[in-house]
Amino acid sequence: MAAIVNHRTSTAGSGLSLAAPAIVLAVVLGCIPLAFVVVYSLLTPASFGGVEWVASANAYRSLLFRKDLFSEELVFSPDHLMIFGRSVLLALATTVLCFAVGFPTAAYMASRSPRARKWWVLAITIPFWTSLLVRTLALMLIIGDQGLINGLLIRSGLINAPVAMLYTDFAVLLGLLYSFLPFMVLPLLSSLEKLDPRLLEAGADLYASRWRIALQIVLPNIRPGIAAGCLLVFVPALGSYVVPLILGGGRSMMAGDLIALQFGTSRNWPLGSAESVVLVLFVALAFALSNLVRRRAA
Amino acid sequence: MGKGENMERVARRSPLSIGSTDDRPADAASVRQDLVLESVSYAIAGRQVVKDISLTVRDGEFFTLLGPSGCGKTTLLRLIAGFESPQTGSISLGATRLEGLPAARRPINTVFQNYALFPHLNVAGNVAFGLRMLKWSREDIAERVDEVLGLVQLLDLRHRRVSELSGGQQQRVALARALAPSPKVLLLDEPLSALDLKLRRDMQVELKRIQTELRQTVIFVTHDQEEALSMSDRIAIMRDGDILQCETPAALYTQPADRFVAAFLGEANFLSAKLRAIDNFHATVEMRNGQTASIALGRHMPAPGEVTVMFRPEDVELGSGPGLSLTASVIQKSYLGSDLSFQLHLRDGTPVKLRSRASAAMEALRIGQQVPLSIPFEQLRIVGETR
Ligand SMILES: Nc1ncnc2c1ncn2[C@@H]1O[C@H](COP(=O)(O)OP(=O)(O)OP(=O)(O)O)[C@@H](O)[C@H]1O
Ligand SMILES: [Mg+2]
């Protein structure tokens, strides 16, 4: 998807005039809210939510330090780092997992006839006709202690007590994989469709096994699709909120939970904003990385 | 570097080498490795694209498949390369049967119709690809890449991206890439068709030079008859999945077996006649104008009844002389550099072409004029009617 957008803008000769609506949209929907967040992160929290218009860098300071209750001294506190670190790790793991599952899927789809391929794309996207919440709850029913899988395993006599799957990192990862897989598969498929099949034959002709054809010819030539897919999975996974909350049972806090917490129960909007800014920086980093990959591929 | 050394190198390093199994002489180069196709048939979606083809390509031979578009040339190459497998028949190289082997296990390399160079690798990377897959050592690869790039005169461009090459240069990279692993058979699918005429002629010479130097077995596909005639040791004329005739260029030109072959290679005139008598070496035919001619038998064995007599435009002489005499009126005259070409019609409307060096007598011919023509009997051929 991102690859297509990219393609469009780069081929549009009279770039600016054609891109104008998109630019307006990006400013209104992207930059202005982001500016609000940045401004809020530099203000002082009001006691019942909202902000007081007094400038302060306290929010950023409290990302790394907390005030000692007695001495009022600033003490280093790794809580934020750990939560962000865990979120980044989880998002990375989701991305890797989505690629590991998505690449063979996309490769299989690309090898079908164009008609069959349309059905596959439909099958991949059908779950998205329902809301994320419903899908996540459905997954809960499947992997819960009384869920489908444990039920089947117990009835077949393979185990006698349910295997704990729900409310584990495994459950979160599974939920994220399920949620974001299409964002990986579709850009990969679009890149694979553009790959000249004769390159694969040339590989076989030059003594490459199927495995080496995949690694040494296919992968290097679909780098734009890989970059787009990884970005499309990593970014929403990093900020994901519903899935870790429901499937992880709120046991381990994620960046998304943390931010929601500041705007809700904690009523510390500046801190929530500062946390959001950090998250946005991570996303910007991911964009820069994926652009680098795409540039090298071009 | 000689082929012997070349093949030894492959025998030593390549797990694919099939010329050096234990029961064979140590010197692989001394073993002839003919490529033999026997009754190979192949159908796509129920339609026969290759029909029961048998042929032998000799070791070191420049063998050309020539035929019109869609006659199955690419398909036949794909069967040999191993991208498709024949429904019936067998393909073998030397003593090795190839049917069961996937493309990646056949010591056969291809130059594709559109080159199919790897866009993510530079020139040297493309040429090295096959050697890397064969797990050659780094030094051996570097040495061989230099050697092959030298052969196609691309040493200076070794670090270029392939997207930054001209058509002719891409073609050379594709050739170098296919030559690098020293394949037993090199398949070339219309490698020159994308090039302009001048470059094409240069590349023909170059390709032929390289093939001769390496004594490389080559199967070359083209639909350009001039290209085929000038480069090949032997040519197989294909039509509709069939091989009509397979011989040296000279034999094909002077002894075409049927009308299609005669017309496809060069220009040809056809007259119908009646077979009157036949012995081991000659056929006596009666032409439409009542004249009888004794024609040496060639590749086609005529059956009693109507036969087709063929002769080339350059064998037609102006004026009456010994041989077959005709009277024709001039329809069209065209200049072909040093040659003049005439379109004429016999009385019954049969077209006849004449081609000759420009001379005063030729120049003087006017459109509409009636002229006597003669064709020496020894230039007449009896050809079959193509089914
Ligand atoms: N994938 C395919 N599906 C159906 N028919 C095919 C397919 N590939 C080739 N054919 C048919 O097989 C016949 C032979 O094709 P082939 O490509 O071998 O011809 P060719 O002699 O190489 O032609 P050209 O000179 O145009 O390259 C053609 O009639 C073509 O329509
Ligand atoms: Mg072809």
Side-chain angles (χ1 to χ4, degrees), chain B residues 288-328:
Chain B
R288 282 271 173 81
N289 63 4
Q291 205 178 354
T292 54
S294 172
I295 301 177
L297 286 176
R299 299 297 186 266
H300 174 69
M301 189 53 63
E306 285 278 311
V307 296
T308 306
V309 173
M310 189 282 301
F311 52 93
R312 299 284 180 191
E314 60 268 28
D315 296 326
V316 181
E317 286 162 16
L318 198 58
S320 47
L324 183 62
S325 311
L326 302 167
T327 309

mmCIF file of all heavy atoms in Angstrom, chain B residues 288-328:
data_model
loop_
_atom_site.group_PDB
_atom_site.id
_atom_site.type_symbol
_atom_site.label_atom_id
_atom_site.label_comp_id
_atom_site.label_asym_id
_atom_site.label_seq_id
_atom_site.Cartn_x
_atom_site.Cartn_y
_atom_site.Cartn_z
ATOM 1 N N ARG B 288 4.298 -26.986 -67.633
ATOM 2 C CA ARG B 288 3.029 -26.515 -68.192
ATOM 3 C C ARG B 288 3.141 -26.166 -69.676
ATOM 4 O O ARG B 288 2.218 -26.373 -70.447
ATOM 5 C CB ARG B 288 2.564 -25.244 -67.443
ATOM 6 C CG ARG B 288 1.939 -25.525 -66.099
ATOM 7 C CD ARG B 288 0.432 -25.763 -66.246
ATOM 8 N NE ARG B 288 -0.159 -26.189 -64.992
ATOM 9 C CZ ARG B 288 -0.487 -25.355 -64.025
ATOM 10 N NH1 ARG B 288 -0.324 -24.049 -64.176
ATOM 11 N NH2 ARG B 288 -1.003 -25.812 -62.911
ATOM 12 N N ASN B 289 4.343 -25.630 -70.082
ATOM 13 C CA ASN B 289 4.496 -25.212 -71.472
ATOM 14 C C ASN B 289 4.882 -26.370 -72.385
ATOM 15 O O ASN B 289 5.254 -26.173 -73.527
ATOM 16 C CB ASN B 289 5.531 -24.080 -71.574
ATOM 17 C CG ASN B 289 6.917 -24.533 -71.129
ATOM 18 O OD1 ASN B 289 7.129 -25.709 -70.805
ATOM 19 N ND2 ASN B 289 7.856 -23.613 -71.115
ATOM 20 N N GLY B 290 4.828 -27.591 -71.847
ATOM 21 C CA GLY B 290 5.107 -28.760 -72.661
ATOM 22 C C GLY B 290 6.548 -29.204 -72.658
ATOM 23 O O GLY B 290 6.869 -30.311 -73.080
ATOM 24 N N GLN B 291 7.434 -28.359 -72.190
ATOM 25 C CA GLN B 291 8.849 -28.698 -72.159
ATOM 26 C C GLN B 291 9.103 -29.782 -71.102
ATOM 27 O O GLN B 291 8.472 -29.776 -70.045
ATOM 28 C CB GLN B 291 9.638 -27.436 -71.773
ATOM 29 C CG GLN B 291 11.065 -27.448 -72.250
ATOM 30 C CD GLN B 291 11.761 -26.138 -71.865
ATOM 31 O OE1 GLN B 291 11.143 -25.214 -71.344
ATOM 32 N NE2 GLN B 291 13.042 -26.078 -72.152
ATOM 33 N N THR B 292 9.988 -30.723 -71.407
ATOM 34 C CA THR B 292 10.320 -31.708 -70.379
ATOM 35 C C THR B 292 11.695 -31.382 -69.820
ATOM 36 O O THR B 292 12.555 -30.853 -70.518
ATOM 37 C CB THR B 292 10.339 -33.149 -70.911
ATOM 38 O OG1 THR B 292 11.221 -33.187 -72.028
ATOM 39 C CG2 THR B 292 8.962 -33.638 -71.291
ATOM 40 N N ALA B 293 11.858 -31.692 -68.540
ATOM 41 C CA ALA B 293 13.119 -31.400 -67.876
ATOM 42 C C ALA B 293 13.509 -32.598 -67.044
ATOM 43 O O ALA B 293 12.660 -33.258 -66.450
ATOM 44 C CB ALA B 293 12.969 -30.166 -66.989
ATOM 45 N N SER B 294 14.814 -32.868 -67.019
ATOM 46 C CA SER B 294 15.312 -33.944 -66.171
ATOM 47 C C SER B 294 15.954 -33.280 -64.948
ATOM 48 O O SER B 294 16.880 -32.480 -65.079
ATOM 49 C CB SER B 294 16.334 -34.766 -66.949
ATOM 50 O OG SER B 294 16.943 -35.674 -66.080
ATOM 51 N N ILE B 295 15.412 -33.592 -63.789
ATOM 52 C CA ILE B 295 15.850 -32.899 -62.576
ATOM 53 C C ILE B 295 16.477 -33.890 -61.613
ATOM 54 O O ILE B 295 15.888 -34.936 -61.310
ATOM 55 C CB ILE B 295 14.646 -32.200 -61.904
ATOM 56 C CG1 ILE B 295 14.006 -31.199 -62.889
ATOM 57 C CG2 ILE B 295 15.072 -31.496 -60.625
ATOM 58 C CD1 ILE B 295 12.783 -30.519 -62.359
ATOM 59 N N ALA B 296 17.686 -33.553 -61.132
ATOM 60 C CA ALA B 296 18.356 -34.429 -60.162
ATOM 61 C C ALA B 296 17.521 -34.492 -58.891
ATOM 62 O O ALA B 296 17.024 -33.478 -58.422
ATOM 63 C CB ALA B 296 19.747 -33.893 -59.853
ATOM 64 N N LEU B 297 17.382 -35.711 -58.335
ATOM 65 C CA LEU B 297 16.580 -35.847 -57.121
ATOM 66 C C LEU B 297 17.332 -35.271 -55.920
ATOM 67 O O LEU B 297 18.532 -35.477 -55.767
ATOM 68 C CB LEU B 297 16.248 -37.315 -56.875
ATOM 69 C CG LEU B 297 15.181 -37.882 -57.810
ATOM 70 C CD1 LEU B 297 14.996 -39.371 -57.552
ATOM 71 C CD2 LEU B 297 13.863 -37.136 -57.646
ATOM 72 N N GLY B 298 16.624 -34.551 -55.080
ATOM 73 C CA GLY B 298 17.240 -33.963 -53.889
ATOM 74 C C GLY B 298 16.660 -34.583 -52.646
ATOM 75 O O GLY B 298 16.605 -35.807 -52.497
ATOM 76 N N ARG B 299 16.211 -33.766 -51.724
ATOM 77 C CA ARG B 299 15.723 -34.255 -50.436
ATOM 78 C C ARG B 299 14.280 -34.757 -50.495
ATOM 79 O O ARG B 299 13.824 -35.430 -49.596
ATOM 80 C CB ARG B 299 15.787 -33.125 -49.392
ATOM 81 C CG ARG B 299 17.166 -32.606 -49.155
ATOM 82 C CD ARG B 299 18.072 -33.697 -48.588
ATOM 83 N NE ARG B 299 19.370 -33.146 -48.224
ATOM 84 C CZ ARG B 299 20.433 -33.144 -48.996
ATOM 85 N NH1 ARG B 299 20.385 -33.677 -50.203
ATOM 86 N NH2 ARG B 299 21.565 -32.616 -48.584
ATOM 87 N N HIS B 300 13.580 -34.372 -51.555
ATOM 88 C CA HIS B 300 12.177 -34.766 -51.632
ATOM 89 C C HIS B 300 11.991 -35.862 -52.676
ATOM 90 O O HIS B 300 12.455 -35.743 -53.801
ATOM 91 C CB HIS B 300 11.313 -33.556 -51.995
ATOM 92 C CG HIS B 300 9.872 -33.903 -52.232
ATOM 93 N ND1 HIS B 300 9.053 -34.315 -51.207
ATOM 94 C CD2 HIS B 300 9.114 -33.898 -53.351
ATOM 95 C CE1 HIS B 300 7.847 -34.561 -51.693
ATOM 96 N NE2 HIS B 300 7.851 -34.308 -52.996
ATOM 97 N N MET B 301 11.337 -36.930 -52.311
ATOM 98 C CA MET B 301 11.064 -38.014 -53.243
ATOM 99 C C MET B 301 9.656 -37.811 -53.797
ATOM 100 O O MET B 301 8.684 -37.954 -53.070
ATOM 101 C CB MET B 301 11.166 -39.352 -52.498
ATOM 102 C CG MET B 301 11.116 -40.573 -53.401
ATOM 103 S SD MET B 301 12.323 -40.536 -54.752
ATOM 104 C CE MET B 301 13.859 -40.548 -53.819
ATOM 105 N N PRO B 302 9.565 -37.391 -55.082
ATOM 106 C CA PRO B 302 8.228 -37.048 -55.595
ATOM 107 C C PRO B 302 7.362 -38.288 -55.815
ATOM 108 O O PRO B 302 7.858 -39.366 -56.104
ATOM 109 C CB PRO B 302 8.544 -36.347 -56.914
ATOM 110 C CG PRO B 302 9.869 -36.865 -57.311
ATOM 111 C CD PRO B 302 10.614 -37.214 -56.059
ATOM 112 N N ALA B 303 6.057 -38.089 -55.646
ATOM 113 C CA ALA B 303 5.085 -39.140 -55.941
ATOM 114 C C ALA B 303 4.497 -38.859 -57.311
ATOM 115 O O ALA B 303 4.516 -37.716 -57.767
ATOM 116 C CB ALA B 303 3.992 -39.134 -54.880
ATOM 117 N N PRO B 304 4.007 -39.870 -57.993
ATOM 118 C CA PRO B 304 3.427 -39.655 -59.318
ATOM 119 C C PRO B 304 2.317 -38.601 -59.267
ATOM 120 O O PRO B 304 1.629 -38.476 -58.269
ATOM 121 C CB PRO B 304 2.852 -41.026 -59.669
ATOM 122 C CG PRO B 304 3.612 -41.991 -58.837
ATOM 123 C CD PRO B 304 3.982 -41.288 -57.596
ATOM 124 N N GLY B 305 2.216 -37.846 -60.350
ATOM 125 C CA GLY B 305 1.175 -36.823 -60.423
ATOM 126 C C GLY B 305 1.787 -35.445 -60.447
ATOM 127 O O GLY B 305 2.862 -35.240 -61.009
ATOM 128 N N GLU B 306 1.096 -34.501 -59.846
ATOM 129 C CA GLU B 306 1.572 -33.113 -59.802
ATOM 130 C C GLU B 306 2.793 -32.997 -58.898
ATOM 131 O O GLU B 306 2.814 -33.570 -57.806
ATOM 132 C CB GLU B 306 0.471 -32.203 -59.241
ATOM 133 C CG GLU B 306 -0.663 -31.906 -60.204
ATOM 134 C CD GLU B 306 -0.326 -30.777 -61.172
ATOM 135 O OE1 GLU B 306 0.150 -29.718 -60.685
ATOM 136 O OE2 GLU B 306 -0.543 -30.943 -62.390
ATOM 137 N N VAL B 307 3.826 -32.277 -59.368
ATOM 138 C CA VAL B 307 4.959 -31.980 -58.498
ATOM 139 C C VAL B 307 5.229 -30.482 -58.552
ATOM 140 O O VAL B 307 4.748 -29.787 -59.439
ATOM 141 C CB VAL B 307 6.237 -32.758 -58.905
ATOM 142 C CG1 VAL B 307 6.048 -34.245 -58.739
ATOM 143 C CG2 VAL B 307 6.634 -32.393 -60.337
ATOM 144 N N THR B 308 5.992 -30.003 -57.577
ATOM 145 C CA THR B 308 6.345 -28.588 -57.561
ATOM 146 C C THR B 308 7.828 -28.440 -57.872
ATOM 147 O O THR B 308 8.668 -29.074 -57.229
ATOM 148 C CB THR B 308 6.052 -27.975 -56.184
ATOM 149 O OG1 THR B 308 4.686 -28.237 -55.856
ATOM 150 C CG2 THR B 308 6.290 -26.471 -56.185
ATOM 151 N N VAL B 309 8.136 -27.621 -58.871
ATOM 152 C CA VAL B 309 9.522 -27.376 -59.254
ATOM 153 C C VAL B 309 9.923 -26.013 -58.715
ATOM 154 O O VAL B 309 9.174 -25.045 -58.824
ATOM 155 C CB VAL B 309 9.673 -27.416 -60.789
ATOM 156 C CG1 VAL B 309 11.081 -26.985 -61.197
ATOM 157 C CG2 VAL B 309 9.353 -28.812 -61.307
ATOM 158 N N MET B 310 11.093 -25.943 -58.081
ATOM 159 C CA MET B 310 11.538 -24.709 -57.449
ATOM 160 C C MET B 310 12.844 -24.258 -58.067
ATOM 161 O O MET B 310 13.681 -25.079 -58.457
ATOM 162 C CB MET B 310 11.741 -24.992 -55.956
ATOM 163 C CG MET B 310 12.003 -23.811 -55.051
ATOM 164 S SD MET B 310 13.652 -23.102 -55.026
ATOM 165 C CE MET B 310 14.692 -24.459 -54.540
ATOM 166 N N PHE B 311 13.018 -22.942 -58.220
ATOM 167 C CA PHE B 311 14.332 -22.399 -58.575
ATOM 168 C C PHE B 311 14.471 -21.020 -57.944
ATOM 169 O O PHE B 311 13.494 -20.373 -57.599
ATOM 170 C CB PHE B 311 14.531 -22.357 -60.087
ATOM 171 C CG PHE B 311 13.407 -21.671 -60.843
ATOM 172 C CD1 PHE B 311 13.482 -20.308 -61.140
ATOM 173 C CD2 PHE B 311 12.282 -22.381 -61.240
ATOM 174 C CE1 PHE B 311 12.462 -19.688 -61.825
ATOM 175 C CE2 PHE B 311 11.249 -21.737 -61.923
ATOM 176 C CZ PHE B 311 11.328 -20.389 -62.215
ATOM 177 N N ARG B 312 15.722 -20.600 -57.757
ATOM 178 C CA ARG B 312 16.012 -19.339 -57.067
ATOM 179 C C ARG B 312 16.041 -18.178 -58.056
ATOM 180 O O ARG B 312 16.453 -18.354 -59.217
ATOM 181 C CB ARG B 312 17.381 -19.425 -56.380
ATOM 182 C CG ARG B 312 17.486 -20.518 -55.329
ATOM 183 C CD ARG B 312 16.784 -20.133 -54.069
ATOM 184 N NE ARG B 312 16.866 -21.161 -53.031
ATOM 185 C CZ ARG B 312 16.149 -21.133 -51.916
ATOM 186 N NH1 ARG B 312 15.281 -20.137 -51.714
ATOM 187 N NH2 ARG B 312 16.266 -22.071 -51.019
ATOM 188 N N PRO B 313 15.641 -16.977 -57.639
ATOM 189 C CA PRO B 313 15.629 -15.808 -58.533
ATOM 190 C C PRO B 313 16.988 -15.526 -59.152
ATOM 191 O O PRO B 313 17.071 -15.082 -60.297
ATOM 192 C CB PRO B 313 15.219 -14.661 -57.604
ATOM 193 C CG PRO B 313 14.477 -15.301 -56.493
ATOM 194 C CD PRO B 313 15.087 -16.662 -56.318
ATOM 195 N N GLU B 314 18.088 -15.827 -58.424
ATOM 196 C CA GLU B 314 19.402 -15.495 -58.979
ATOM 197 C C GLU B 314 19.846 -16.494 -60.039
ATOM 198 O O GLU B 314 20.843 -16.277 -60.728
ATOM 199 C CB GLU B 314 20.458 -15.386 -57.872
ATOM 200 C CG GLU B 314 20.680 -16.638 -57.054
ATOM 201 C CD GLU B 314 19.805 -16.696 -55.807
ATOM 202 O OE1 GLU B 314 18.706 -16.096 -55.822
ATOM 203 O OE2 GLU B 314 20.207 -17.353 -54.833
ATOM 204 N N ASP B 315 19.112 -17.595 -60.177
ATOM 205 C CA ASP B 315 19.458 -18.568 -61.217
ATOM 206 C C ASP B 315 18.687 -18.333 -62.508
ATOM 207 O O ASP B 315 18.878 -19.039 -63.495
ATOM 208 C CB ASP B 315 19.202 -19.993 -60.709
ATOM 209 C CG ASP B 315 20.110 -20.336 -59.545
ATOM 210 O OD1 ASP B 315 21.263 -19.858 -59.547
ATOM 211 O OD2 ASP B 315 19.660 -21.045 -58.623
ATOM 212 N N VAL B 316 17.797 -17.340 -62.498
ATOM 213 C CA VAL B 316 17.033 -17.032 -63.707
ATOM 214 C C VAL B 316 17.890 -16.144 -64.601
ATOM 215 O O VAL B 316 18.460 -15.150 -64.137
ATOM 216 C CB VAL B 316 15.718 -16.306 -63.356
ATOM 217 C CG1 VAL B 316 14.920 -16.008 -64.618
ATOM 218 C CG2 VAL B 316 14.906 -17.150 -62.382
ATOM 219 N N GLU B 317 18.008 -16.545 -65.892
ATOM 220 C CA GLU B 317 18.816 -15.743 -66.804
ATOM 221 C C GLU B 317 17.930 -15.076 -67.825
ATOM 222 O O GLU B 317 16.904 -15.624 -68.242
ATOM 223 C CB GLU B 317 19.856 -16.634 -67.503
ATOM 224 C CG GLU B 317 20.986 -17.023 -66.544
ATOM 225 C CD GLU B 317 21.769 -18.222 -67.045
ATOM 226 O OE1 GLU B 317 21.652 -18.555 -68.246
ATOM 227 O OE2 GLU B 317 22.495 -18.829 -66.225
ATOM 228 N N LEU B 318 18.351 -13.892 -68.233
ATOM 229 C CA LEU B 318 17.606 -13.136 -69.234
ATOM 230 C C LEU B 318 17.988 -13.657 -70.619
ATOM 231 O O LEU B 318 19.150 -13.933 -70.873
ATOM 232 C CB LEU B 318 17.985 -11.653 -69.094
ATOM 233 C CG LEU B 318 17.063 -10.629 -69.725
ATOM 234 C CD1 LEU B 318 15.654 -10.771 -69.166
ATOM 235 C CD2 LEU B 318 17.613 -9.230 -69.467
ATOM 236 N N GLY B 319 17.014 -13.809 -71.501
ATOM 237 C CA GLY B 319 17.294 -14.291 -72.849
ATOM 238 C C GLY B 319 17.096 -15.784 -72.935
ATOM 239 O O GLY B 319 17.042 -16.477 -71.915
ATOM 240 N N SER B 320 16.986 -16.298 -74.173
ATOM 241 C CA SER B 320 16.776 -17.729 -74.305
ATOM 242 C C SER B 320 18.127 -18.427 -74.247
ATOM 243 O O SER B 320 19.144 -17.887 -74.667
ATOM 244 C CB SER B 320 16.052 -18.041 -75.619
ATOM 245 O OG SER B 320 16.671 -17.324 -76.664
ATOM 246 N N GLY B 321 18.145 -19.603 -73.661
ATOM 247 C CA GLY B 321 19.393 -20.342 -73.525
ATOM 248 C C GLY B 321 19.048 -21.787 -73.274
ATOM 249 O O GLY B 321 17.874 -22.162 -73.297
ATOM 250 N N PRO B 322 20.064 -22.607 -72.998
ATOM 251 C CA PRO B 322 19.779 -23.991 -72.661
ATOM 252 C C PRO B 322 19.050 -24.035 -71.325
ATOM 253 O O PRO B 322 19.155 -23.107 -70.535
ATOM 254 C CB PRO B 322 21.169 -24.628 -72.551
ATOM 255 C CG PRO B 322 22.088 -23.485 -72.240
ATOM 256 C CD PRO B 322 21.489 -22.278 -72.898
ATOM 257 N N GLY B 323 18.298 -25.096 -71.095
ATOM 258 C CA GLY B 323 17.559 -25.199 -69.847
ATOM 259 C C GLY B 323 16.097 -24.874 -70.073
ATOM 260 O O GLY B 323 15.594 -24.824 -71.201
ATOM 261 N N LEU B 324 15.398 -24.642 -68.976
ATOM 262 C CA LEU B 324 13.979 -24.355 -69.027
ATOM 263 C C LEU B 324 13.748 -22.966 -69.612
ATOM 264 O O LEU B 324 14.351 -21.994 -69.171
ATOM 265 C CB LEU B 324 13.409 -24.432 -67.609
ATOM 266 C CG LEU B 324 11.922 -24.231 -67.441
ATOM 267 C CD1 LEU B 324 11.136 -25.310 -68.165
ATOM 268 C CD2 LEU B 324 11.569 -24.215 -65.955
ATOM 269 N N SER B 325 12.909 -22.883 -70.654
ATOM 270 C CA SER B 325 12.651 -21.572 -71.271
ATOM 271 C C SER B 325 11.260 -21.095 -70.909
ATOM 272 O O SER B 325 10.296 -21.861 -70.959
ATOM 273 C CB SER B 325 12.729 -21.671 -72.791
ATOM 274 O OG SER B 325 13.902 -22.340 -73.157
ATOM 275 N N LEU B 326 11.175 -19.830 -70.553
ATOM 276 C CA LEU B 326 9.888 -19.239 -70.188
ATOM 277 C C LEU B 326 9.766 -17.903 -70.872
ATOM 278 O O LEU B 326 10.759 -17.284 -71.243
ATOM 279 C CB LEU B 326 9.811 -19.022 -68.676
ATOM 280 C CG LEU B 326 9.994 -20.252 -67.774
ATOM 281 C CD1 LEU B 326 10.208 -19.813 -66.333
ATOM 282 C CD2 LEU B 326 8.782 -21.176 -67.891
ATOM 283 N N THR B 327 8.530 -17.424 -71.036
ATOM 284 C CA THR B 327 8.309 -16.064 -71.505
ATOM 285 C C THR B 327 7.474 -15.357 -70.453
ATOM 286 O O THR B 327 6.476 -15.911 -69.980
ATOM 287 C CB THR B 327 7.560 -16.056 -72.844
ATOM 288 O OG1 THR B 327 8.242 -16.947 -73.728
ATOM 289 C CG2 THR B 327 7.524 -14.662 -73.432
ATOM 290 N N ALA B 328 7.910 -14.158 -70.078
ATOM 291 C CA ALA B 328 7.209 -13.479 -68.997
ATOM 292 C C ALA B 328 7.166 -11.991 -69.266
ATOM 293 O O ALA B 328 7.973 -11.469 -70.046
ATOM 294 C CB ALA B 328 7.910 -13.750 -67.673
#
